[in-house]
Amino acid sequence: MANREKNKKTLLELAKLPENSCCADCGAADPDWASYTLGIFVCLNCSGTHRNLSTISRIKSIRLDFWDDELVQFMKSNGNRAAKNFYEKYVPVFYYQPQPDDCEVLREQWIRAKYERKEFTEEKTERPYTAGVYEGMLWKKGKDNGQFLERKFVLSVHDFTLKYYKEDESKGPKATISVKGLNATFQPEKIGHAHGLQITYSVDDHTRNLFVYHKNGWEIVNWFNAIRAIRHVYLKTAFPTASDGDLIPWITRSYLKEGYMEKTGPLREPFKKRWFILDSLDRKLLYFKTQLDAIELGVVFIGSENHGYSVRECVPKGTRGNKWKCGVIVETPDRQFVFMCEQERDQREWVEALKTVISKPMMPQDYTSKIITLLIRCHGGCHFPH
C-alpha cells in the first residue's frame, strides 16, 4: 500500500528541483499540480487546459491528491526537462511561448500544440504559419460604427505586407499594411472577445489600430504566429548581422502600460479623458480618444534621464476641468506634461512604468523616433490639444 505522506514529500521535493520549479507550460513559479501521464509539473491555470485533454494528460494536485507509488516513480523518471527536450525540440525561434500573465487562448493553444498536435517533436520545413502566405477570414471592428464585420486578410512574406479586403475583392485591398512597423498583441478584455487581437501599424508616422478576432482559438493563434514569422524574416533581412536574441523582442511586444488618464494641452486647456498606451521599446506614450479608437490623437516621446526626462507624482493646483486628482508630471527638455489618474494605484503604476522607460539608455534608433515625434508635433500642431 502506498505511503501517502512519503509520496507527498517526494513530490514536493521533485517540484523544488530547478528543472521542475516553474510550470512546464507558462513558467509560473512553484507549480502545485502535475500531469501523471506526461510527467510534468504545472501551475493551476495551465492545469485547467490539461484537464480538457483527458485522453493525453491526467492531472493531480501534488499536495491534496492521493498518489500511487508507480505514479510517483513515473514523475521521478520524467519531469519538466525531459518533457521540454521531447515536446519542444523544434519550436521555431519566432513562435510565441506564453508567460504566466498571458491570456487563456495563448496558453491553451501552446499546450495543445505541444501535447495534442505534437507540432514541435519533429523538424518540419513548413507549418501553417510559416508557409510564406497566410490568408483567411477575421472579424474586424469597423472604424466608424464599431460593428465587427468579417473581412478577408492576406499576409505575405513576398512583399512583406498585410492586406485586408471588403466584400468585393475585385476592387483590390481596402488597406495594404507594411510589416515594417507591424505589431500584434492579444487584448481579449479590451476587444470583448476571448480571441481578440490588436494589430498596430504606422501610416505617415502616425499609429493606427485594427481590432480583430476569430471564433477559433487555434486559428487566431496561427494568425499571431504567422505575423511573428513574417516579422522575423523581415527583421533578419533588414538587420542581417543581428542575432535572434537581439531581434526576438522586436518581433511583437506587449505594451508596458495601458489605461485612462486625463490630459491637458500645451496651453493648459481643460482636462480631457484619454486612453494611453506606453510602448517601452519605441519609447512612446500614445493617446487615443477611447481604448478602441483606430487612430492616435497624439504621442509623447519618452527619452532617458540623461537627456533631461523625468517623471513624478504631483497634486497640481489651478487646473481646470479635471475630475481626477492623482497627478503625474512628465518633464521633457521641451515642455511639461500633466496627467491625472483616477486612483493612487493607477498613479503609482504609471509613474513606475514611465520610470522604467526613462531609466533605460537611449539606443541609436531611438533618436530617429524622437525626431519623427518632434516633426509630428511641429507640423501637426492640431494633433496635441485633443
Side-chain angles (χ1 to χ4, degrees), residues 10 16 31 63 110-111 150 171 177 180 190 216 229 257 279 286 299 342 380 385:
T10 300
K16 290 180 180 178
R63 295 180 181 275
W110 168 238
I111 291 168
E150 204 169 20
K171 294 182 179 179
I177 302 164
K180 179 181 179 181
K190 182 194 290 189
N216 183 286
K257 174 72 177 167
D279 185 339
L286 305 152
V299 58
E342 184 176 15

Side-chain angles (χ1 to χ4, degrees), residues 224-249:
F224 180 59
N225 281 303
I227 290 171
R228 288 180 60 84
I230 193 173
R231 282 278 299 158
H232 183 242
V233 175
Y234 171 79
L235 290 171
K236 292 288 283 186
T237 304
F239 306 100
T241 61
S243 68
D244 283 331
D246 293 329
L247 298 179
I248 293 303

Side-chain angles (χ1 to χ4, degrees), residues 175-194:
T176 299
I177 302 164
S178 169
V179 305
K180 179 181 179 181
L182 193 68
N183 188 42
T185 180
F186 277 91
Q187 299 277 11
E189 292 184 8
K190 182 194 290 189
I191 294 172
H193 194 283

Side-chain angles (χ1 to χ4, degrees), residues 194-208:
H195 305 156
L197 188 69
Q198 177 177 334
I199 298 172
T200 304
Y201 60 101
S202 296
V203 176
D204 299 327
D205 297 318
H206 291 291
T207 300
R208 295 193 175 220

